[in-house]
């Protein structure tokens, strides 16, 4: 299973790198994943919201489409000069998110990365988790807020706040590789999962 985490200028460090580490540890524990950090456009390095410079493996493109795409937040709530809201305004990233979703990529959002999913149109008529400061914007995109840690609608998965990327990573391991591997990673990281995973029973 190919997983990519897309990085854009001003992305949040923890919302991107927490699931990256969890999933890497899942691979060590036996999960059949490969994972890459990719840029939102053709570039070799991306700068985070607090100025950390990350070297990426590739950039997001349809001819290298992942099975599962993770979108971090960052910069949405305070309308930063760079970040998720600016990416939504530019529209290039939201268009490729929509196109990948149409091609059966499972799309996951951490924190306000879910707002990039909403802006791409793929959360219409879906139930979602979201950072509390952005949840009131969801109705204009046709999405229904649920106050759970993770909301899994099958083809789209959203995680609530900044630290929820850890829980998202563990849920991805559990859903696609089983509870035993997820529990082993949780134990190795000395982390206790928080909140509730709500999963649509129809999926």
């Amino acid at each position: 299973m190919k997983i990519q985490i897309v990085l854009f200028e001003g992305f949040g460090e923890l919302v991107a790198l927490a699931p990256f580490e969890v999933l890497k540890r899942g691979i060590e524990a036996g999960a059949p994943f490969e994972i890459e950090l990719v840029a939102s456009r053709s570039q070799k390095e991306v700068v985070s919201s607090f100025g950390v410079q990350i070297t990426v493996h590739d950039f997001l493109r349809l001819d290298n489409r992942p099975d599962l795409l993770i979108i971090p937040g960052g910069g949405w709530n305070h309308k930063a000069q760079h970040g998720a809201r600016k990416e939504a305004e530019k529209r290039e990233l939201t268009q490729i998110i929509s196109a990948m979703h149409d091609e059966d990529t499972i799309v996951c959002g951490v924190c306000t990365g879910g707002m990039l999913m909403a802006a791409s149109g793929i959360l219409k008529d879906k139930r979602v988790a979201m950072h509390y400061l952005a949840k009131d914007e969801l109705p204009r995109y046709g999405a229904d807020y649920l106050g759970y840690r993770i909301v899994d609608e099958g083809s789209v998965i959203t995680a609530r706040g900044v630290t929820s990327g850890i829980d998202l990573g563990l849920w991805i391991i559990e859903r696609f590789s089983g509870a035993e591997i997820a529990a082993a990673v949780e134990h190795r990281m000395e982390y206790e999962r928080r909140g509730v995973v709500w999963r649509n029973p129809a999926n």
Side-chain angles (χ1 to χ4, degrees), residues 4-9 36-46 54-61 69 87 93 96:
Q4 293 181 339
I5 301 175
V6 61
L7 306 183
F8 46 83
E9 297 298 315
E36 297 178 324
L37 296 172
V38 298
S40 58
R41 54 186 57 86
S42 180
Q43 59 192 87
K44 294 183 178 179
E45 294 182 332
V46 184
I54 302 290
T55 301
V56 293
H57 301 100
D58 202 343
F59 65 96
L60 196 65
R61 48 197 171 89
L69 175 66
E87 293 299 316
L93 179 54
I96 196 167

Side-chain angles (χ1 to χ4, degrees), residues 2-39:
K2 182 161 70 175
I3 300 172
Q4 293 181 339
I5 301 175
V6 61
L7 306 183
F8 46 83
E9 297 298 315
F11 74 90
E13 291 86 348
L14 186 58
V15 287
L17 298 181
F20 180 78
E21 178 168 342
V22 171
L23 293 167
K24 277 287 195 180
R25 291 185 180 274
I27 293 168
E28 291 177 345
F33 301 154
E34 57 181 84
I35 183 165
E36 297 178 324
L37 296 172
V38 298

Side-chain angles (χ1 to χ4, degrees), residues 6 14 31 39 59-60 65 75 108 110 113 117 119 127 130 155 161 171 187 203:
V6 61
L14 186 58
F59 65 96
L60 196 65
R65 182 180 63 82
C108 307
V110 184
M117 296 167 65
R127 283 153 288 200
M130 181 55 58
S155 65
W171 172 244
H187 178 69
N203 295 310

Side-chain angles (χ1 to χ4, degrees), residues 58-94:
D58 202 343
F59 65 96
L60 196 65
R61 48 197 171 89
L62 283 172
D63 64 357
N64 186 35
R65 182 180 63 82
D67 300 298
L68 187 145
L69 175 66
I70 298 174
I71 305 164
W76 185 278
N77 293 321
H78 58 283
K79 300 178 181 178
Q81 182 180 358
H82 300 288
R85 192 179 290 271
K86 285 295 182 185
E87 293 299 316
E89 291 170 1
K90 293 175 186 174
R91 299 192 61 192
E92 290 95 339
L93 179 54
T94 56

Side-chain angles (χ1 to χ4, degrees), residues 21 42 46 48 50 57 70 95 98 120 129-130 150 170 178 186:
E21 178 168 342
S42 180
V46 184
S48 71
F50 287 106
H57 301 100
I70 298 174
Q95 287 172 353
S98 178
S120 75
M130 181 55 58
I150 294 169
L170 289 166
E186 185 176 348

Side-chain angles (χ1 to χ4, degrees), residues 158-185:
T158 47
R160 188 170 175 180
V162 176
T163 59
S164 65
I166 304 172
D167 299 281
L168 175 66
L170 289 166
W171 172 244
I172 290 168
I173 293 170
E174 180 171 332
R175 177 173 158 182
F176 296 102
S177 294
E180 185 175 346
I181 294 178
V185 172

